[in-house]
Amino acid sequence: MADSTARATIHAGGDWLAAVSGATREIIDPADGLPFTVVAEGDEKDADAAVAAARRAFDSGDWPRTPVAERAALLRRVAGLLVRDREELGLLESRDAGKTVAEGRVDIDCVADAFRYFADLVAAEGAGRVVDAGSADVHSVVVSEPVGVCALITPWNYPLLQASWKIAPALAAGNTFVVKPSELTPLTTVALIGLLAEAGLPAGVANLVTGPGHTVGARLAEHPDVDLVSFTGGLVSGTKVAKAAAPTVKKVALELGGKNPNVVFADACATQEGFDTAVDQALNAAFMHSGQVCSAGARLIVEEPLRERFVAELARRAARIRLGRGTADGVECGPLVSEQQRAKVEAYVASALAEGAVLRAGGKRPEPSADRPATGYFYEPTVLDQCHRGMRVVREEVFGPVLTVETFRTEDEAVALANDTEYGLAGAVWSTDAGKARRVAGRLRHGTVWINDYHPYLPQAEWGGFGRSGTGRELGPAGLAEYRETKHVYQNLAPRPVRWFAG
């Protein structure tokens, strides 16, 4: 995004605009703490204008009535443009969010996959579900229709990926939308809106407002002309969104994070290969994108006889993870997204140590280097041993590179520990006993459970959580259904008087 157009990042009705107030925000590179571009800082007035454009496009425009095949074709064109711009977008995601370029590229691949999946899903659907009314004189069918104007509020950790999980099904279903990316990481979402226009999406269907949650996000959630709000972010903000949306009784979907268990049975590590794999995956589970992942395996729950050997190797390898600027060669883990986020992580580690946790690795800011400026928001991958559920660091979502270790002795105890959380987004079970692994997976109250793996997801499989991890689902057929209303059309083919009333 060129500096000359950096302030015109609000998109409403097909036009790129500055904020009504003229306010702007500097976007900070978390690797060095320095600004590298400027975007518009919208507020309630900008949100109102964007919603009005989306409302007009839905009520009077062609998109909701565009044939499904044409909508699917546009989504596939968007996927092709994402592939074309993969390197540029991956680099932008790295610089904006702090992740490595390699992670950024994978994110763009996954975004393209989401657009292709929802294109294929709607293209393969029938015209509706015929309902047998018990009479040849009645034609009865249940059809799906777009819900209307959608407000899509996305987080800072996976900016474009999380936006795509909302935008792709919203468009596939025939909706119009206003998207509000995180004010910290808006750049790739701005770029995606440009790609949608390039692919031929009519003006007014896709609208974007850059700005903070307490103004733009709050207004979108409460707006009477918004029919659905989909929010991904923290629990506190999510409950505010739900409260704001309640008076207008709009549809609400919330993905609010997790405190995810990674359960390792000793039999999974009976061989050296099994041991190495489980340790490696525990590192991936906890420290990918510096732990700033809603499904991060931040709670290692390991069988007691295995604990010392497993934790010792885990700590040794965690200490060797190379931290640095995500664009530098050989860097394995980038910075946290902001100074505020790092301060939050530091406070959780301090509280854990005060409550009796044992520090096995990390627990501090790294020494500066050429790839790791002192002004960047870096924090070492941290392993905290001898933890228990009484600790805040075990109960609450840290959203940083912090792994806590708990132990169990029986299968029942493992399940109880894994489920002892107010969240229920994801978790994993490691065991060579297939029956036990499936049995434990079946007992876990989490929306995604991996067996002998961690982190993979499929666009055709639903994503979402139990408990305070949220409501609704993204991806899969249920992810598309979130953006639809169902309608029953009952046609009497041979109407005649009922004669209920004699006169």
Side-chain angles (χ1 to χ4, degrees):
M1 183 170 53
D3 288 341
S4 62
T5 61
R7 291 174 176 82
T9 53
I10 292 172
H11 195 258
D15 297 320
W16 289 103
L17 307 167
V20 171
S21 68
T24 60
R25 173 185 288 267
E26 292 181 328
I27 300 301
I28 304 300
D29 185 336
D32 56 24
L34 301 175
F36 68 98
T37 192
V38 176
V39 299
E41 181 84 322
D43 60 19
E44 295 91 343
K45 292 180 180 178
D46 302 287
D48 286 346
V51 170
R55 189 79 262 168
R56 288 192 300 272
F58 185 81
D59 293 341
S60 306
D62 295 331
W63 184 250
R65 287 155 287 281
T66 298
V68 169
E70 293 182 28
R71 296 204 301 265
L74 183 136
L75 295 183
R76 293 191 185 103
R77 289 197 296 273
V78 174
L81 295 172
L82 288 161
V83 172
R84 181 197 69 186
D85 294 348
R86 179 179 186 260
E87 289 301 312
E88 177 185 347
L89 291 169
L91 180 62
L92 190 58
E93 198 79 323
S94 170
R95 194 164 188 200
D96 206 10
K99 62 183 63 181
T100 66
V101 173
E103 289 178 80
R105 294 188 188 111
V106 171
D107 286 357
I108 306 310
D109 292 340
C110 293
V111 171
D113 287 344
F115 275 89
R116 291 191 199 98
Y117 168 71
F118 284 108
D120 293 343
L121 184 62
V122 294
E125 290 181 326
R129 176 169 57 89
V130 175
V131 179
D132 185 0
S135 170
D137 292 335
V138 173
H139 179 262
S140 181
V141 63
V142 176
V143 297
S144 294
E145 296 185 354
V147 69
V149 174
C150 303
L152 313 176
I153 304 173
T154 60
W156 48 258
N157 60 332
Y158 284 89
L160 195 58
L161 183 64
Q162 292 291 333
S164 74
W165 287 12
K166 302 178 190 298
I167 290 173
L171 292 177
N175 297 284
T176 62
F177 69 84
V178 180
V179 61
K180 192 211 86 66
S182 167
E183 61 269 32
L184 298 179
T185 57
L187 301 181
T188 50
T189 306
V190 172
L192 177 60
I193 297 300
L195 295 184
L196 292 173
E198 184 179 348
L201 189 68
V205 175
N207 304 275
L208 175 145
V209 183
T210 47
H214 70 272
T215 55
V216 178
R219 180 56 180 156
L220 292 176
E222 71 180 10
H223 203 294
D225 285 338
V226 167
D227 301 297
L228 172 149
V229 58
S230 178
F231 171 86
T232 299
L235 176 60
V236 173
S237 297
T239 56
K240 291 178 180 178
V241 167
K243 289 179 181 178
T248 51
V249 201
K250 56 173 61 73
K251 293 186 72 174
V252 177
L254 303 171
E255 203 268 80
L256 305 180
K259 194 65 181 177
N260 312 290
N262 185 21
V263 179
V264 181
F265 284 90
D267 61 66
C269 301
T271 66
Q272 188 61 43
E273 181 180 6
F275 177 81
D276 291 342
T277 299
V279 170
D280 178 77
Q281 289 278 16
L283 291 166
N284 293 343
F287 301 131
M288 187 70 70
H289 190 19
S290 292
Q292 299 170 119
V293 185
C294 58
S295 57
R299 293 179 63 203
L300 176 64
I301 302 174
V302 61
E303 194 164 1
E304 177 59 39
L306 180 63
R307 182 188 65 81
E308 182 52 40
R309 179 186 174 213
F310 198 95
V311 175
E313 179 61 11
L314 190 72
R316 185 189 71 81
R317 290 192 54 182
R320 299 182 63 181
I321 293 174
R322 184 180 173 191
L323 299 179
R325 185 185 295 273
T327 56
D329 291 340
V331 165
E332 298 170 318
C333 202
L336 296 172
V337 74
S338 66
E339 178 58 47
Q340 179 183 16
Q341 188 64 21
R342 181 170 64 178
K344 174 186 171 184
V345 171
E346 289 176 325
Y348 271 112
V349 172
S351 72
L353 296 177
E355 292 170 340
V358 175
L359 183 67
R360 299 292 293 266
K364 64 182 187 300
R365 302 181 185 187
E367 292 296 322
S369 69
D371 294 335
R372 209 164 49 229
T375 51
Y377 310 133
F378 296 96
Y379 195 78
E380 291 182 355
T382 298
V383 178
L384 296 171
D385 198 3
Q386 298 184 29
C387 295
H388 57 78
R389 281 288 294 151
M391 297 175 174
R392 285 183 58 228
V393 73
V394 175
R395 298 193 312 271
E396 300 175 14
E397 190 174 34
V398 176
F399 229 64
V402 177
L403 176 64
T404 62
V405 181
E406 302 164 81
T407 60
F408 67 92
R409 291 187 176 277
T410 68
E411 182 179 319
D412 286 344
E413 186 181 2
V415 171
L417 283 171
N419 284 336
D420 189 10
T421 172
E422 63 184 10
Y423 295 100
L425 184 60
V429 181
W430 289 83
S431 176
T432 55
D433 183 333
K436 178 170 66 177
R438 287 194 292 268
R439 187 168 61 245
V440 171
R443 296 174 65 189
L444 294 186
R445 297 283 295 169
H446 300 273
T448 294
V449 179
W450 296 285
I451 296 176
N452 297 336
D453 211 329
Y454 208 100
H455 275 321
Y457 79 93
L458 303 172
Q460 59 268 36
E462 281 75 3
W463 180 267
F466 296 7
R468 295 194 179 185
S469 284
T471 61
R473 290 294 183 268
E474 295 188 297
L475 302 178
L480 178 63
E482 294 285 350
Y483 294 90
R484 286 173 160 173
E485 297 282 13
T486 55
K487 177 186 288 184
H488 179 204
V489 180
Y490 180 106
Q491 183 179 7
N492 189 336
L493 302 175
R496 56 187 178 274
V498 178
R499 305 298 185 190
W500 186 269
F501 298 103

